[in-house]
Amino acid sequence: MMKVETLVIHAGSHVDESTSAVVAPIVLSTTFERDHDGNYSKGYSYSRAGNPNRQALETVLARLEGGVQAAAFASGNAAGMTVFQSLKPGTHIIAPDDMYHGLRNQLKTLFAGILEFDFIDLNNDELLLATIKPNTGLIWIETPSNPLLKLTDIAKVAALARKHDIKVVCDNTFASPLGQQPLSLGADVVMHSTTKYLGGHSDLTGGALITAQDDEWWKKILNIQQMGGAIPAPTDCYWLARSIKTLPYRMRGHVHNAQLLAEYLEQHTQVEQVLYPGLASHPQHELAKQQMLSFGGMLSFMVAGGKDAAERVINKLQLFARATSLGGVESLIERRAAIEGPDTKTPQNLLRVSVGLEHIDDLIADMQNALNKA
Ligand SMILES: *Cc1c(COP(=O)(O)O)cnc(C)c1O
């Protein structure tokens, strides 16, 4: 089988037939001409239904996750919403109690009265089993979770779900396809916010779903993509496919830097705790080694001295931008409780870091300076 570095460069790419351009052009046309017999032999008719740049992107995304097909969306939230819209009204969803807040809010506001849902700790086997109802149709997994970097055992949950004829979707945004392959562990569909590592440069918004099987459920998802029209523009598809060509090398850098920064922070007296799956101190480090191919570029840490000390650290840092989001080349830091609102369970002194691709010596020096002055 082709190695991933090769795959991301060649899957979905081909020399353009009309110009011999090695890099395929961006096709902006919203409409495509019929053949004389009325058919669309090239496969495209109207850009909401399909576009060559989207096709190229979906091809590489499917290959990256080991799936059979992918569907690209205008955002991660649009991808998640498509899954919820694809379920029969009255379906019960089991989702993690620390689910990405944007999708959790979607369920609680837009789908209230349409779908049923329970937010639970998926690591609690007994609770999970007790929460399954006759109308449970979906278990949503997000691992590692945000911002506590809690893991869920994908293979275990997927095996239980299969026994009860329940579908499993895994939000793989934090790990990236290089960090974890949920379909190979038994998930039915993988979801990504491609705004994050896949885009990788903090300059585009996108989402994706990748399926293990081209079944009836997937056909419905494709229908929602094409009829609903929450699709990415050809230019966004182009930039995203371009970024994916360097994903394996970028992930290597993110993972390398995150591991070293986590180890540095762990020994600092101003730091109460570091949450990173690659640390031996992570409560689920064994599971991380078992199910992850690499531990990702996201970490969280708690600053000694509470909320104010955490704010001081953020304000002293010079290389870490005080911003939400993740997965870009530049390092970002945020006090997560501030964005999650008043009912958050996230510790007030928790800082979440998206470790970028700057040199690790510079990142550590900046962190050392900020912690020592905080
Ligand atoms: C960002 C994010 C999303 C939502 O994606 P958008 O592209 O912002 O709509 C979903 N899940 C996780 C884990 C995320 O980090």
Side-chain angles (χ1 to χ4, degrees):
M1 213 179 79
M2 207 187 273
K3 304 281 191 207
V4 69
E5 291 84 354
T6 314
L7 189 158
V8 290
I9 289 169
H10 291 281
S13 296
H14 52 83
V15 173
D16 181 50
E17 274 175 28
S18 60
T19 62
S20 296
V22 170
V23 176
I26 301 175
V27 178
L28 293 173
S29 185
T30 55
T31 188
F32 299 80
E33 195 179 26
R34 288 179 191 270
D35 306 332
H36 286 292
D37 62 6
N39 291 324
Y40 289 110
S41 60
K42 307 261 167 62
Y44 300 105
S45 59
Y46 183 61
S47 58
R48 174 155 46 68
N51 161 280
N53 298 100
R54 195 163 98 220
Q55 179 62 49
L57 171 64
E58 290 174 344
T59 300
V60 70
L61 285 170
R63 293 286 300 280
L64 255 180
E65 286 287 2
V68 297
Q69 268 187 51
F73 293 89
S75 70
N77 268 16
M81 180 138 135
T82 298
V83 171
F84 306 144
Q85 287 175 323
S86 74
L87 303 172
K88 263 210 318 252
T91 300
H92 175 240
I93 302 176
I94 301 175
D97 50 11
D98 54 357
M99 184 185 205
Y100 171 71
H101 68 117
L103 290 172
R104 181 189 162 93
N105 287 343
Q106 229 179 55
L107 283 174
K108 288 171 77 169
T109 56
L110 304 180
F111 291 92
I114 300 171
L115 299 170
E116 294 174 28
F117 28 82
D118 277 303
F119 299 100
I120 66 161
D121 177 1
L122 292 179
N123 288 305
N124 184 333
D125 297 349
E126 278 161 37
L127 179 61
L128 176 55
L129 198 58
T131 307
I132 292 175
K133 304 199 281 190
N135 62 333
T136 304
L138 176 70
I139 299 179
W140 185 278
I141 298 176
E142 181 185 332
T143 179
S145 75
N146 175 28
L148 295 175
L149 284 303
K150 258 174 39 183
L151 305 192
T152 298
D153 189 331
I154 301 172
K156 191 159 89 178
V157 172
L160 180 76
R162 178 155 308 120
K163 239 192 272 171
H164 291 82
D165 205 19
I166 297 168
K167 298 287 188 193
V168 171
V169 174
C170 182
D171 183 340
N172 205 24
T173 301
F174 262 44
S176 94
L178 275 291
Q180 189 169 272
Q181 298 263 279
L183 299 183
S184 75
L185 298 168
D188 297 288
V189 166
V190 166
M191 183 231 131
H192 277 286
S193 166
T194 56
T195 312
K196 315 296 168 54
Y197 286 108
L198 288 150
H201 298 73
S202 310
D203 57 2
L204 63 84
T205 304
L209 297 173
I210 299 108
T211 187
Q213 278 184 62
D214 181 12
D215 54 11
E216 286 307 306
W217 184 40
W218 179 252
K219 286 189 173 60
K220 185 153 184 203
I221 284 174
L222 288 182
N223 265 337
I224 297 170
Q225 180 206 30
Q226 292 169 24
M227 290 193 219
I231 46 149
T235 38
D236 281 357
C237 293
Y238 172 83
W239 289 117
L240 188 49
R242 181 191 200 266
S243 292
I244 288 173
K245 292 176 202 285
T246 56
L247 180 68
Y249 288 92
R250 285 189 285 110
M251 284 317 298
R252 242 174 258 175
H254 287 295
V255 171
H256 172 82
N257 282 357
Q259 181 75 37
L260 293 177
L261 185 61
E263 286 169 10
Y264 170 76
L265 288 169
E266 193 164 47
Q267 53 76 50
H268 200 288
T269 51
Q270 276 291 106
V271 174
E272 279 176 1
Q273 195 185 350
V274 183
L275 302 169
Y276 181 66
L279 289 177
S281 62
H282 189 285
Q284 295 163 299
H285 183 56
E286 286 312 309
L287 174 59
K289 285 197 287 190
Q290 197 183 307
Q291 94 175 0
M292 300 185 81
L293 305 166
S294 59
F295 303 124
M298 294 301 296
L299 62 86
S300 293
F301 66 103
M302 276 81 110
V303 181
K307 174 185 164 193
D308 294 343
E311 291 283 1
R312 283 197 297 276
V313 170
I314 286 198
N315 286 316
K316 289 260 163 23
L317 287 166
Q318 294 186 339
L319 291 177
F320 296 77
R322 297 176 299 278
T324 193
S325 197
L326 59 129
V329 293
E330 62 286 301
S331 292
L332 305 177
I333 191 161
E334 69 175 337
R335 199 172 65 78
R336 194 64 198 168
I339 192 172
E340 288 176 352
D343 62 344
T344 181
K345 292 197 196 92
T346 300
Q348 292 292 326
N349 62 342
L350 179 143
L351 298 180
R352 189 189 81 175
V353 184
S354 172
V355 186
L357 297 180
E358 300 92 344
H359 196 285
I360 185 60
D361 293 352
D362 295 327
L363 293 180
I364 286 177
D366 194 29
M367 199 54 91
Q368 181 168 29
N369 180 54
L371 283 169
N372 290 352
K373 287 184 184 157

